Amino acid sequence: MRSYMIGLPTHFPEAVQIVSQTDEFRPEDVRRATQRTLVHRYMDWGTVRADLVKRTGLFRQETLLAPKHHVIMINLMGDAKVGEDFIDGKRVTFTPRRPGSIVFVPACREWRGWDEGDRTGSYLMVAIRRAFVAKFFGIDHFPDLKPVLGVRDPAIESSLQLIAAELAHPDPISRMMVESQAIQMFVNLARLRLLALEPAKGGLSSFDLRRTVATIESRVADPPSLDELAQEIGLSQRQFFRAFKQSTGKTPHAYMLEHRLERAADLLRTTDRLAIDIALECGFASPSHFTTVFRNAFATSPIEFRRNWRR
């Protein structure tokens, strides 16, 4: 594992020079920013590479990422609150990115833009070689992959945490671990890609889908029933269930559970509140139920999850 610690007053040319002497990935080429300090750690296992970047004194970050291999990035610390994003030169809607937000940029695509937010930030970037993906899936299985900016997915976040742990404490079987997690992430990202497509015939209209999602997100502590959601847009439970799944690729129950888990994970990362309080706020019947469901989604308990994020 390589690590660099750089203290800077206002500008960053020195950081570019120091990191570029031995490292093919340069944080200041991908996420250029005026900063006070930069810490960069990385590990390259050949098929998968992980880079952890932490910075303080941030203001505006300018992004230019045009990878030769598939890249998955997770925001670990700091909110990106405002900005602009461009994919292959075309402007796309900017989505504020909080800790836990995931970006996927396929090989040979370009993500360019800028954002402003918190003064301290960090991210983990995982690059997965194209040949490695093709070996397991076949290129034809993933035609025309699309970038995804700011997605949330507990399974992908769990895989990224495991890769970060291998980066911090590598051993002889780390490569096997990170490769297995890379494949798992790619499977989930390929499924999420389907959500970016136009709704299939029979799905909810964009207006009804927005209304439904807004209702779900406003009632984390008291999740709406299937009947409530269906009545709100004038459908039977059966019609609503099928249309919602057509539009999102998930059942209403799975979607609501994922949103509640994402909220719980945010609270574990950003507050010192007791797990029992977080469980109740996120609509879980008991701490034991919360722990069981959380472990199934993140492969770790809520307490271990918080500890891993803060070490």
Side-chain angles (χ1 to χ4, degrees), residues 48 72 102 126 128 132-133 136-137 142 153-160 162-163 176-192 296-297 299:
V48 180
I72 304 168
I102 296 165
V126 176
I128 307 170
F132 176 68
V133 174
F136 279 86
F137 298 103
F142 298 103
D153 185 85
I156 297 172
E157 185 174 338
S158 177
S159 291
L160 288 165
L162 291 172
I163 292 175
M176 185 181 302
M177 171 62 82
V178 299
E179 287 183 347
S180 66
Q181 296 306 316
I183 293 300
Q184 184 63 43
M185 286 193 299
F186 210 86
V187 169
N188 282 287
L189 283 167
R191 289 173 175 170
L192 288 174
N296 288 339

PDB file of all heavy atoms in Angstrom, residues 48 72 102 126 128 132-133 136-137 142 153-160 162-163 176-192 296-297 299:
ATOM      1  N   VAL A  48      -7.830  -5.358 -10.205  1.00  0.00           N
ATOM      2  CA  VAL A  48      -8.602  -4.336  -9.487  1.00  0.00           C
ATOM      3  C   VAL A  48      -7.620  -3.408  -8.778  1.00  0.00           C
ATOM      4  O   VAL A  48      -6.644  -3.860  -8.196  1.00  0.00           O
ATOM      5  CB  VAL A  48      -9.553  -4.971  -8.452  1.00  0.00           C
ATOM      6  CG1 VAL A  48     -10.347  -3.887  -7.725  1.00  0.00           C
ATOM      7  CG2 VAL A  48     -10.499  -5.973  -9.119  1.00  0.00           C
ATOM      8  N   ILE A  72     -15.666   2.599 -10.269  1.00  0.00           N
ATOM      9  CA  ILE A  72     -16.733   2.772  -9.294  1.00  0.00           C
ATOM     10  C   ILE A  72     -16.170   3.630  -8.176  1.00  0.00           C
ATOM     11  O   ILE A  72     -15.111   3.324  -7.620  1.00  0.00           O
ATOM     12  CB  ILE A  72     -17.224   1.428  -8.737  1.00  0.00           C
ATOM     13  CG1 ILE A  72     -17.665   0.505  -9.877  1.00  0.00           C
ATOM     14  CG2 ILE A  72     -18.374   1.638  -7.756  1.00  0.00           C
ATOM     15  CD1 ILE A  72     -17.899  -0.930  -9.445  1.00  0.00           C
ATOM     16  N   ILE A 102     -22.780   6.788  -4.825  1.00  0.00           N
ATOM     17  CA  ILE A 102     -21.899   5.995  -5.683  1.00  0.00           C
ATOM     18  C   ILE A 102     -21.936   6.525  -7.111  1.00  0.00           C
ATOM     19  O   ILE A 102     -22.999   6.891  -7.625  1.00  0.00           O
ATOM     20  CB  ILE A 102     -22.326   4.506  -5.657  1.00  0.00           C
ATOM     21  CG1 ILE A 102     -22.149   3.948  -4.233  1.00  0.00           C
ATOM     22  CG2 ILE A 102     -21.532   3.679  -6.661  1.00  0.00           C
ATOM     23  CD1 ILE A 102     -22.869   2.638  -4.013  1.00  0.00           C
ATOM     24  N   VAL A 126     -12.475   2.694  -7.185  1.00  0.00           N
ATOM     25  CA  VAL A 126     -12.079   1.333  -7.526  1.00  0.00           C
ATOM     26  C   VAL A 126     -12.138   1.184  -9.043  1.00  0.00           C
ATOM     27  O   VAL A 126     -13.193   1.409  -9.653  1.00  0.00           O
ATOM     28  CB  VAL A 126     -12.998   0.296  -6.856  1.00  0.00           C
ATOM     29  CG1 VAL A 126     -12.633  -1.109  -7.301  1.00  0.00           C
ATOM     30  CG2 VAL A 126     -12.911   0.414  -5.331  1.00  0.00           C
ATOM     31  N   ILE A 128     -11.762  -1.371 -12.249  1.00  0.00           N
ATOM     32  CA  ILE A 128     -11.859  -2.796 -12.571  1.00  0.00           C
ATOM     33  C   ILE A 128     -11.514  -2.964 -14.049  1.00  0.00           C
ATOM     34  O   ILE A 128     -12.148  -2.366 -14.921  1.00  0.00           O
ATOM     35  CB  ILE A 128     -13.284  -3.323 -12.312  1.00  0.00           C
ATOM     36  CG1 ILE A 128     -13.727  -2.975 -10.893  1.00  0.00           C
ATOM     37  CG2 ILE A 128     -13.352  -4.826 -12.548  1.00  0.00           C
ATOM     38  CD1 ILE A 128     -15.191  -3.244 -10.629  1.00  0.00           C
ATOM     39  N   PHE A 132     -10.905  -8.260 -17.206  1.00  0.00           N
ATOM     40  CA  PHE A 132     -11.375  -9.049 -16.060  1.00  0.00           C
ATOM     41  C   PHE A 132     -12.890  -9.201 -16.101  1.00  0.00           C
ATOM     42  O   PHE A 132     -13.433 -10.282 -15.884  1.00  0.00           O
ATOM     43  CB  PHE A 132     -10.932  -8.365 -14.768  1.00  0.00           C
ATOM     44  CG  PHE A 132     -11.426  -9.032 -13.525  1.00  0.00           C
ATOM     45  CD1 PHE A 132     -10.966 -10.288 -13.159  1.00  0.00           C
ATOM     46  CD2 PHE A 132     -12.345  -8.402 -12.702  1.00  0.00           C
ATOM     47  CE1 PHE A 132     -11.414 -10.908 -12.001  1.00  0.00           C
ATOM     48  CE2 PHE A 132     -12.796  -9.007 -11.542  1.00  0.00           C
ATOM     49  CZ  PHE A 132     -12.327 -10.266 -11.196  1.00  0.00           C
ATOM     50  N   VAL A 133     -13.589  -8.101 -16.414  1.00  0.00           N
ATOM     51  CA  VAL A 133     -15.047  -8.154 -16.517  1.00  0.00           C
ATOM     52  C   VAL A 133     -15.465  -9.060 -17.671  1.00  0.00           C
ATOM     53  O   VAL A 133     -16.361  -9.896 -17.538  1.00  0.00           O
ATOM     54  CB  VAL A 133     -15.618  -6.734 -16.710  1.00  0.00           C
ATOM     55  CG1 VAL A 133     -17.118  -6.790 -16.969  1.00  0.00           C
ATOM     56  CG2 VAL A 133     -15.323  -5.878 -15.484  1.00  0.00           C
ATOM     57  N   PHE A 136     -15.386 -12.875 -16.985  1.00  0.00           N
ATOM     58  CA  PHE A 136     -16.444 -13.471 -16.176  1.00  0.00           C
ATOM     59  C   PHE A 136     -17.821 -13.353 -16.816  1.00  0.00           C
ATOM     60  O   PHE A 136     -18.674 -14.223 -16.628  1.00  0.00           O
ATOM     61  CB  PHE A 136     -16.471 -12.835 -14.787  1.00  0.00           C
ATOM     62  CG  PHE A 136     -15.439 -13.407 -13.864  1.00  0.00           C
ATOM     63  CD1 PHE A 136     -14.151 -12.908 -13.851  1.00  0.00           C
ATOM     64  CD2 PHE A 136     -15.740 -14.461 -13.029  1.00  0.00           C
ATOM     65  CE1 PHE A 136     -13.187 -13.436 -13.008  1.00  0.00           C
ATOM     66  CE2 PHE A 136     -14.783 -15.011 -12.184  1.00  0.00           C
ATOM     67  CZ  PHE A 136     -13.507 -14.497 -12.169  1.00  0.00           C
ATOM     68  N   PHE A 137     -18.074 -12.270 -17.566  1.00  0.00           N
ATOM     69  CA  PHE A 137     -19.420 -12.038 -18.064  1.00  0.00           C
ATOM     70  C   PHE A 137     -19.539 -12.131 -19.578  1.00  0.00           C
ATOM     71  O   PHE A 137     -20.620 -12.400 -20.090  1.00  0.00           O
ATOM     72  CB  PHE A 137     -19.908 -10.654 -17.632  1.00  0.00           C
ATOM     73  CG  PHE A 137     -19.995 -10.485 -16.142  1.00  0.00           C
ATOM     74  CD1 PHE A 137     -19.031  -9.777 -15.459  1.00  0.00           C
ATOM     75  CD2 PHE A 137     -21.029 -11.044 -15.427  1.00  0.00           C
ATOM     76  CE1 PHE A 137     -19.100  -9.612 -14.092  1.00  0.00           C
ATOM     77  CE2 PHE A 137     -21.121 -10.895 -14.056  1.00  0.00           C
ATOM     78  CZ  PHE A 137     -20.152 -10.180 -13.383  1.00  0.00           C
ATOM     79  N   PHE A 142     -22.891  -6.915 -21.524  1.00  0.00           N
ATOM     80  CA  PHE A 142     -23.004  -5.559 -21.011  1.00  0.00           C
ATOM     81  C   PHE A 142     -22.801  -4.539 -22.129  1.00  0.00           C
ATOM     82  O   PHE A 142     -21.849  -3.775 -22.117  1.00  0.00           O
ATOM     83  CB  PHE A 142     -21.978  -5.323 -19.909  1.00  0.00           C
ATOM     84  CG  PHE A 142     -22.166  -6.225 -18.729  1.00  0.00           C
ATOM     85  CD1 PHE A 142     -21.332  -7.315 -18.551  1.00  0.00           C
ATOM     86  CD2 PHE A 142     -23.175  -5.995 -17.820  1.00  0.00           C
ATOM     87  CE1 PHE A 142     -21.496  -8.155 -17.466  1.00  0.00           C
ATOM     88  CE2 PHE A 142     -23.362  -6.831 -16.743  1.00  0.00           C
ATOM     89  CZ  PHE A 142     -22.524  -7.914 -16.550  1.00  0.00           C
ATOM     90  N   ASP A 153     -26.919   2.248  -3.117  1.00  0.00           N
ATOM     91  CA  ASP A 153     -27.212   0.819  -3.122  1.00  0.00           C
ATOM     92  C   ASP A 153     -26.454   0.156  -1.976  1.00  0.00           C
ATOM     93  O   ASP A 153     -25.218   0.181  -1.967  1.00  0.00           O
ATOM     94  CB  ASP A 153     -26.803   0.192  -4.453  1.00  0.00           C
ATOM     95  CG  ASP A 153     -27.207  -1.273  -4.524  1.00  0.00           C
ATOM     96  OD1 ASP A 153     -28.369  -1.542  -4.894  1.00  0.00           O
ATOM     97  OD2 ASP A 153     -26.375  -2.148  -4.211  1.00  0.00           O
ATOM     98  N   PRO A 154     -27.153  -0.415  -0.994  1.00  0.00           N
ATOM     99  CA  PRO A 154     -26.477  -1.012   0.158  1.00  0.00           C
ATOM    100  C   PRO A 154     -25.509  -2.126  -0.211  1.00  0.00           C
ATOM    101  O   PRO A 154     -24.443  -2.260   0.395  1.00  0.00           O
ATOM    102  CB  PRO A 154     -27.636  -1.544   1.005  1.00  0.00           C
ATOM    103  CG  PRO A 154     -28.815  -0.718   0.617  1.00  0.00           C
ATOM    104  CD  PRO A 154     -28.626  -0.434  -0.835  1.00  0.00           C
ATOM    105  N   ALA A 155     -25.855  -2.939  -1.205  1.00  0.00           N
ATOM    106  CA  ALA A 155     -24.990  -4.059  -1.580  1.00  0.00           C
ATOM    107  C   ALA A 155     -23.661  -3.559  -2.150  1.00  0.00           C
ATOM    108  O   ALA A 155     -22.591  -4.076  -1.820  1.00  0.00           O
ATOM    109  CB  ALA A 155     -25.696  -4.960  -2.585  1.00  0.00           C
ATOM    110  N   ILE A 156     -23.722  -2.546  -3.002  1.00  0.00           N
ATOM    111  CA  ILE A 156     -22.503  -1.989  -3.583  1.00  0.00           C
ATOM    112  C   ILE A 156     -21.676  -1.299  -2.500  1.00  0.00           C
ATOM    113  O   ILE A 156     -20.450  -1.440  -2.446  1.00  0.00           O
ATOM    114  CB  ILE A 156     -22.833  -1.008  -4.716  1.00  0.00           C
ATOM    115  CG1 ILE A 156     -23.544  -1.747  -5.854  1.00  0.00           C
ATOM    116  CG2 ILE A 156     -21.573  -0.321  -5.236  1.00  0.00           C
ATOM    117  CD1 ILE A 156     -24.080  -0.832  -6.927  1.00  0.00           C
ATOM    118  N   GLU A 157     -22.337  -0.573  -1.617  1.00  0.00           N
ATOM    119  CA  GLU A 157     -21.623   0.100  -0.534  1.00  0.00           C
ATOM    120  C   GLU A 157     -20.908  -0.908   0.357  1.00  0.00           C
ATOM    121  O   GLU A 157     -19.764  -0.687   0.771  1.00  0.00           O
ATOM    122  CB  GLU A 157     -22.596   0.934   0.296  1.00  0.00           C
ATOM    123  CG  GLU A 157     -21.920   1.750   1.370  1.00  0.00           C
ATOM    124  CD  GLU A 157     -22.875   2.687   2.086  1.00  0.00           C
ATOM    125  OE1 GLU A 157     -23.920   3.021   1.509  1.00  0.00           O
ATOM    126  OE2 GLU A 157     -22.562   3.070   3.223  1.00  0.00           O
ATOM    127  N   SER A 158     -21.561  -2.030   0.628  1.00  0.00           N
ATOM    128  CA  SER A 158     -20.942  -3.073   1.447  1.00  0.00           C
ATOM    129  C   SER A 158     -19.693  -3.621   0.769  1.00  0.00           C
ATOM    130  O   SER A 158     -18.653  -3.812   1.407  1.00  0.00           O
ATOM    131  CB  SER A 158     -21.936  -4.203   1.699  1.00  0.00           C
ATOM    132  OG  SER A 158     -21.349  -5.254   2.423  1.00  0.00           O
ATOM    133  N   SER A 159     -19.773  -3.845  -0.545  1.00  0.00           N
ATOM    134  CA  SER A 159     -18.608  -4.351  -1.284  1.00  0.00           C
ATOM    135  C   SER A 159     -17.462  -3.348  -1.250  1.00  0.00           C
ATOM    136  O   SER A 159     -16.290  -3.715  -1.089  1.00  0.00           O
ATOM    137  CB  SER A 159     -18.997  -4.654  -2.737  1.00  0.00           C
ATOM    138  OG  SER A 159     -19.862  -5.757  -2.814  1.00  0.00           O
ATOM    139  N   LEU A 160     -17.774  -2.072  -1.389  1.00  0.00           N
ATOM    140  CA  LEU A 160     -16.742  -1.043  -1.353  1.00  0.00           C
ATOM    141  C   LEU A 160     -16.089  -0.955   0.024  1.00  0.00           C
ATOM    142  O   LEU A 160     -14.879  -0.731   0.136  1.00  0.00           O
ATOM    143  CB  LEU A 160     -17.342   0.303  -1.759  1.00  0.00           C
ATOM    144  CG  LEU A 160     -17.677   0.427  -3.245  1.00  0.00           C
ATOM    145  CD1 LEU A 160     -18.583   1.625  -3.489  1.00  0.00           C
ATOM    146  CD2 LEU A 160     -16.417   0.549  -4.086  1.00  0.00           C
ATOM    147  N   LEU A 162     -15.667  -3.471   2.043  1.00  0.00           N
ATOM    148  CA  LEU A 162     -14.780  -4.626   2.151  1.00  0.00           C
ATOM    149  C   LEU A 162     -13.484  -4.389   1.376  1.00  0.00           C
ATOM    150  O   LEU A 162     -12.396  -4.782   1.818  1.00  0.00           O
ATOM    151  CB  LEU A 162     -15.494  -5.879   1.649  1.00  0.00           C
ATOM    152  CG  LEU A 162     -16.638  -6.367   2.541  1.00  0.00           C
ATOM    153  CD1 LEU A 162     -17.399  -7.496   1.850  1.00  0.00           C
ATOM    154  CD2 LEU A 162     -16.115  -6.848   3.892  1.00  0.00           C
ATOM    155  N   ILE A 163     -13.584  -3.746   0.221  1.00  0.00           N
ATOM    156  CA  ILE A 163     -12.382  -3.421  -0.546  1.00  0.00           C
ATOM    157  C   ILE A 163     -11.523  -2.415   0.207  1.00  0.00           C
ATOM    158  O   ILE A 163     -10.294  -2.521   0.247  1.00  0.00           O
ATOM    159  CB  ILE A 163     -12.756  -2.909  -1.945  1.00  0.00           C
ATOM    160  CG1 ILE A 163     -13.377  -4.047  -2.775  1.00  0.00           C
ATOM    161  CG2 ILE A 163     -11.542  -2.328  -2.662  1.00  0.00           C
ATOM    162  CD1 ILE A 163     -13.880  -3.627  -4.130  1.00  0.00           C
ATOM    163  N   MET A 176      -8.050 -12.133  -4.005  1.00  0.00           N
ATOM    164  CA  MET A 176      -9.241 -12.955  -4.176  1.00  0.00           C
ATOM    165  C   MET A 176     -10.477 -12.234  -3.625  1.00  0.00           C
ATOM    166  O   MET A 176     -11.556 -12.245  -4.227  1.00  0.00           O
ATOM    167  CB  MET A 176      -9.062 -14.301  -3.466  1.00  0.00           C
ATOM    168  CG  MET A 176     -10.200 -15.272  -3.681  1.00  0.00           C
ATOM    169  SD  MET A 176      -9.934 -16.834  -2.799  1.00  0.00           S
ATOM    170  CE  MET A 176      -8.363 -17.358  -3.520  1.00  0.00           C
ATOM    171  N   MET A 177     -10.302 -11.571  -2.485  1.00  0.00           N
ATOM    172  CA  MET A 177     -11.415 -10.856  -1.872  1.00  0.00           C
ATOM    173  C   MET A 177     -11.887  -9.702  -2.748  1.00  0.00           C
ATOM    174  O   MET A 177     -13.074  -9.555  -3.033  1.00  0.00           O
ATOM    175  CB  MET A 177     -11.001 -10.333  -0.492  1.00  0.00           C
ATOM    176  CG  MET A 177     -12.008  -9.385   0.146  1.00  0.00           C
ATOM    177  SD  MET A 177     -13.625 -10.118   0.454  1.00  0.00           S
ATOM    178  CE  MET A 177     -13.254 -10.955   2.010  1.00  0.00           C
ATOM    179  N   VAL A 178     -10.952  -8.862  -3.204  1.00  0.00           N
ATOM    180  CA  VAL A 178     -11.368  -7.687  -3.968  1.00  0.00           C
ATOM    181  C   VAL A 178     -11.928  -8.080  -5.327  1.00  0.00           C
ATOM    182  O   VAL A 178     -12.856  -7.432  -5.840  1.00  0.00           O
ATOM    183  CB  VAL A 178     -10.215  -6.672  -4.123  1.00  0.00           C
ATOM    184  CG1 VAL A 178      -9.755  -6.174  -2.763  1.00  0.00           C
ATOM    185  CG2 VAL A 178      -9.062  -7.230  -4.909  1.00  0.00           C
ATOM    186  N   GLU A 179     -11.410  -9.136  -5.929  1.00  0.00           N
ATOM    187  CA  GLU A 179     -11.956  -9.579  -7.211  1.00  0.00           C
ATOM    188  C   GLU A 179     -13.391 -10.072  -7.059  1.00  0.00           C
ATOM    189  O   GLU A 179     -14.255  -9.785  -7.900  1.00  0.00           O
ATOM    190  CB  GLU A 179     -11.075 -10.668  -7.816  1.00  0.00           C
ATOM    191  CG  GLU A 179      -9.761 -10.148  -8.372  1.00  0.00           C
ATOM    192  CD  GLU A 179      -8.935 -11.239  -9.028  1.00  0.00           C
ATOM    193  OE1 GLU A 179      -9.269 -12.437  -8.838  1.00  0.00           O
ATOM    194  OE2 GLU A 179      -7.959 -10.893  -9.728  1.00  0.00           O
ATOM    195  N   SER A 180     -13.657 -10.802  -5.992  1.00  0.00           N
ATOM    196  CA  SER A 180     -15.021 -11.292  -5.775  1.00  0.00           C
ATOM    197  C   SER A 180     -15.979 -10.128  -5.537  1.00  0.00           C
ATOM    198  O   SER A 180     -17.108 -10.119  -6.033  1.00  0.00           O
ATOM    199  CB  SER A 180     -15.061 -12.269  -4.596  1.00  0.00           C
ATOM    200  OG  SER A 180     -14.754 -11.621  -3.372  1.00  0.00           O
ATOM    201  N   GLN A 181     -15.527  -9.108  -4.787  1.00  0.00           N
ATOM    202  CA  GLN A 181     -16.371  -7.944  -4.545  1.00  0.00           C
ATOM    203  C   GLN A 181     -16.565  -7.113  -5.808  1.00  0.00           C
ATOM    204  O   GLN A 181     -17.630  -6.535  -6.034  1.00  0.00           O
ATOM    205  CB  GLN A 181     -15.772  -7.085  -3.424  1.00  0.00           C
ATOM    206  CG  GLN A 181     -15.721  -7.767  -2.079  1.00  0.00           C
ATOM    207  CD  GLN A 181     -17.071  -8.306  -1.643  1.00  0.00           C
ATOM    208  OE1 GLN A 181     -18.095  -7.629  -1.779  1.00  0.00           O
ATOM    209  NE2 GLN A 181     -17.082  -9.523  -1.112  1.00  0.00           N
ATOM    210  N   ALA A 182     -15.538  -7.044  -6.640  1.00  0.00           N
ATOM    211  CA  ALA A 182     -15.661  -6.310  -7.894  1.00  0.00           C
ATOM    212  C   ALA A 182     -16.720  -6.933  -8.792  1.00  0.00           C
ATOM    213  O   ALA A 182     -17.544  -6.230  -9.401  1.00  0.00           O
ATOM    214  CB  ALA A 182     -14.310  -6.273  -8.612  1.00  0.00           C
ATOM    215  N   ILE A 183     -16.714  -8.249  -8.883  1.00  0.00           N
ATOM    216  CA  ILE A 183     -17.725  -8.934  -9.686  1.00  0.00           C
ATOM    217  C   ILE A 183     -19.116  -8.694  -9.124  1.00  0.00           C
ATOM    218  O   ILE A 183     -20.074  -8.413  -9.858  1.00  0.00           O
ATOM    219  CB  ILE A 183     -17.422 -10.446  -9.757  1.00  0.00           C
ATOM    220  CG1 ILE A 183     -16.141 -10.693 -10.553  1.00  0.00           C
ATOM    221  CG2 ILE A 183     -18.583 -11.208 -10.368  1.00  0.00           C
ATOM    222  CD1 ILE A 183     -16.189 -10.189 -11.980  1.00  0.00           C
ATOM    223  N   GLN A 184     -19.245  -8.778  -7.797  1.00  0.00           N
ATOM    224  CA  GLN A 184     -20.546  -8.553  -7.174  1.00  0.00           C
ATOM    225  C   GLN A 184     -21.045  -7.135  -7.449  1.00  0.00           C
ATOM    226  O   GLN A 184     -22.229  -6.925  -7.746  1.00  0.00           O
ATOM    227  CB  GLN A 184     -20.438  -8.785  -5.664  1.00  0.00           C
ATOM    228  CG  GLN A 184     -21.770  -8.672  -4.928  1.00  0.00           C
ATOM    229  CD  GLN A 184     -22.754  -9.722  -5.393  1.00  0.00           C
ATOM    230  OE1 GLN A 184     -22.417 -10.883  -5.572  1.00  0.00           O
ATOM    231  NE2 GLN A 184     -23.995  -9.302  -5.597  1.00  0.00           N
ATOM    232  N   MET A 185     -20.148  -6.150  -7.370  1.00  0.00           N
ATOM    233  CA  MET A 185     -20.542  -4.776  -7.645  1.00  0.00           C
ATOM    234  C   MET A 185     -20.970  -4.608  -9.094  1.00  0.00           C
ATOM    235  O   MET A 185     -21.938  -3.911  -9.390  1.00  0.00           O
ATOM    236  CB  MET A 185     -19.386  -3.823  -7.344  1.00  0.00           C
ATOM    237  CG  MET A 185     -19.129  -3.614  -5.869  1.00  0.00           C
ATOM    238  SD  MET A 185     -18.022  -2.217  -5.557  1.00  0.00           S
ATOM    239  CE  MET A 185     -16.542  -2.748  -6.411  1.00  0.00           C
ATOM    240  N   PHE A 186     -20.249  -5.259  -9.984  1.00  0.00           N
ATOM    241  CA  PHE A 186     -20.573  -5.100 -11.393  1.00  0.00           C
ATOM    242  C   PHE A 186     -21.933  -5.692 -11.716  1.00  0.00           C
ATOM    243  O   PHE A 186     -22.693  -5.147 -12.519  1.00  0.00           O
ATOM    244  CB  PHE A 186     -19.488  -5.745 -12.260  1.00  0.00           C
ATOM    245  CG  PHE A 186     -19.329  -5.066 -13.580  1.00  0.00           C
ATOM    246  CD1 PHE A 186     -18.493  -3.959 -13.706  1.00  0.00           C
ATOM    247  CD2 PHE A 186     -20.010  -5.495 -14.701  1.00  0.00           C
ATOM    248  CE1 PHE A 186     -18.341  -3.317 -14.917  1.00  0.00           C
ATOM    249  CE2 PHE A 186     -19.886  -4.855 -15.916  1.00  0.00           C
ATOM    250  CZ  PHE A 186     -19.046  -3.764 -16.028  1.00  0.00           C
ATOM    251  N   VAL A 187     -22.262  -6.814 -11.081  1.00  0.00           N
ATOM    252  CA  VAL A 187     -23.592  -7.403 -11.255  1.00  0.00           C
ATOM    253  C   VAL A 187     -24.669  -6.417 -10.808  1.00  0.00           C
ATOM    254  O   VAL A 187     -25.653  -6.173 -11.516  1.00  0.00           O
ATOM    255  CB  VAL A 187     -23.713  -8.728 -10.471  1.00  0.00           C
ATOM    256  CG1 VAL A 187     -25.151  -9.196 -10.424  1.00  0.00           C
ATOM    257  CG2 VAL A 187     -22.837  -9.794 -11.106  1.00  0.00           C
ATOM    258  N   ASN A 188     -24.484  -5.823  -9.631  1.00  0.00           N
ATOM    259  CA  ASN A 188     -25.472  -4.883  -9.119  1.00  0.00           C
ATOM    260  C   ASN A 188     -25.544  -3.618  -9.961  1.00  0.00           C
ATOM    261  O   ASN A 188     -26.634  -3.095 -10.212  1.00  0.00           O
ATOM    262  CB  ASN A 188     -25.138  -4.528  -7.666  1.00  0.00           C
ATOM    263  CG  ASN A 188     -25.544  -5.616  -6.701  1.00  0.00           C
ATOM    264  OD1 ASN A 188     -26.725  -5.819  -6.427  1.00  0.00           O
ATOM    265  ND2 ASN A 188     -24.576  -6.350  -6.197  1.00  0.00           N
ATOM    266  N   LEU A 189     -24.405  -3.110 -10.416  1.00  0.00           N
ATOM    267  CA  LEU A 189     -24.414  -1.919 -11.255  1.00  0.00           C
ATOM    268  C   LEU A 189     -25.077  -2.186 -12.593  1.00  0.00           C
ATOM    269  O   LEU A 189     -25.770  -1.327 -13.137  1.00  0.00           O
ATOM    270  CB  LEU A 189     -22.984  -1.422 -11.464  1.00  0.00           C
ATOM    271  CG  LEU A 189     -22.396  -0.667 -10.275  1.00  0.00           C
ATOM    272  CD1 LEU A 189     -20.893  -0.490 -10.446  1.00  0.00           C
ATOM    273  CD2 LEU A 189     -23.069   0.683 -10.103  1.00  0.00           C
ATOM    274  N   ALA A 190     -24.874  -3.374 -13.139  1.00  0.00           N
ATOM    275  CA  ALA A 190     -25.533  -3.724 -14.395  1.00  0.00           C
ATOM    276  C   ALA A 190     -27.046  -3.726 -14.222  1.00  0.00           C
ATOM    277  O   ALA A 190     -27.784  -3.306 -15.115  1.00  0.00           O
ATOM    278  CB  ALA A 190     -25.049  -5.090 -14.871  1.00  0.00           C
ATOM    279  N   ARG A 191     -27.504  -4.182 -13.061  1.00  0.00           N
ATOM    280  CA  ARG A 191     -28.943  -4.154 -12.796  1.00  0.00           C
ATOM    281  C   ARG A 191     -29.437  -2.718 -12.610  1.00  0.00           C
ATOM    282  O   ARG A 191     -30.490  -2.339 -13.109  1.00  0.00           O
ATOM    283  CB  ARG A 191     -29.253  -4.975 -11.549  1.00  0.00           C
ATOM    284  CG  ARG A 191     -29.101  -6.471 -11.764  1.00  0.00           C
ATOM    285  CD  ARG A 191     -29.243  -7.231 -10.471  1.00  0.00           C
ATOM    286  NE  ARG A 191     -29.209  -8.672 -10.701  1.00  0.00           N
ATOM    287  CZ  ARG A 191     -29.125  -9.571  -9.743  1.00  0.00           C
ATOM    288  NH1 ARG A 191     -29.055  -9.184  -8.469  1.00  0.00           N
ATOM    289  NH2 ARG A 191     -29.106 -10.852 -10.028  1.00  0.00           N
ATOM    290  N   LEU A 192     -28.675  -1.914 -11.914  1.00  0.00           N
ATOM    291  CA  LEU A 192     -29.067  -0.526 -11.727  1.00  0.00           C
ATOM    292  C   LEU A 192     -29.108   0.231 -13.048  1.00  0.00           C
ATOM    293  O   LEU A 192     -29.887   1.161 -13.219  1.00  0.00           O
ATOM    294  CB  LEU A 192     -28.095   0.165 -10.776  1.00  0.00           C
ATOM    295  CG  LEU A 192     -28.198  -0.232  -9.309  1.00  0.00           C
ATOM    296  CD1 LEU A 192     -27.078   0.419  -8.520  1.00  0.00           C
ATOM    297  CD2 LEU A 192     -29.539   0.147  -8.725  1.00  0.00           C
ATOM    298  N   ASN A 296     -28.019  -8.304   6.805  1.00  0.00           N
ATOM    299  CA  ASN A 296     -28.315  -8.954   5.524  1.00  0.00           C
ATOM    300  C   ASN A 296     -27.966  -8.045   4.350  1.00  0.00           C
ATOM    301  O   ASN A 296     -27.525  -8.517   3.299  1.00  0.00           O
ATOM    302  CB  ASN A 296     -29.793  -9.336   5.451  1.00  0.00           C
ATOM    303  CG  ASN A 296     -30.143 -10.498   6.355  1.00  0.00           C
ATOM    304  OD1 ASN A 296     -29.271 -11.273   6.748  1.00  0.00           O
ATOM    305  ND2 ASN A 296     -31.409 -10.631   6.696  1.00  0.00           N
ATOM    306  N   ALA A 297     -28.149  -6.733   4.541  1.00  0.00           N
ATOM    307  CA  ALA A 297     -27.893  -5.788   3.451  1.00  0.00           C
ATOM    308  C   ALA A 297     -26.428  -5.403   3.347  1.00  0.00           C
ATOM    309  O   ALA A 297     -25.874  -5.300   2.245  1.00  0.00           O
ATOM    310  CB  ALA A 297     -28.743  -4.526   3.643  1.00  0.00           C
ATOM    311  N   ALA A 299     -23.748  -6.853   5.254  1.00  0.00           N
ATOM    312  CA  ALA A 299     -22.817  -7.901   5.686  1.00  0.00           C
ATOM    313  C   ALA A 299     -22.047  -7.505   6.937  1.00  0.00           C
ATOM    314  O   ALA A 299     -20.914  -7.958   7.149  1.00  0.00           O
ATOM    315  CB  ALA A 299     -21.850  -8.273   4.552  1.00  0.00           C
TER     316      ALA A 299
END
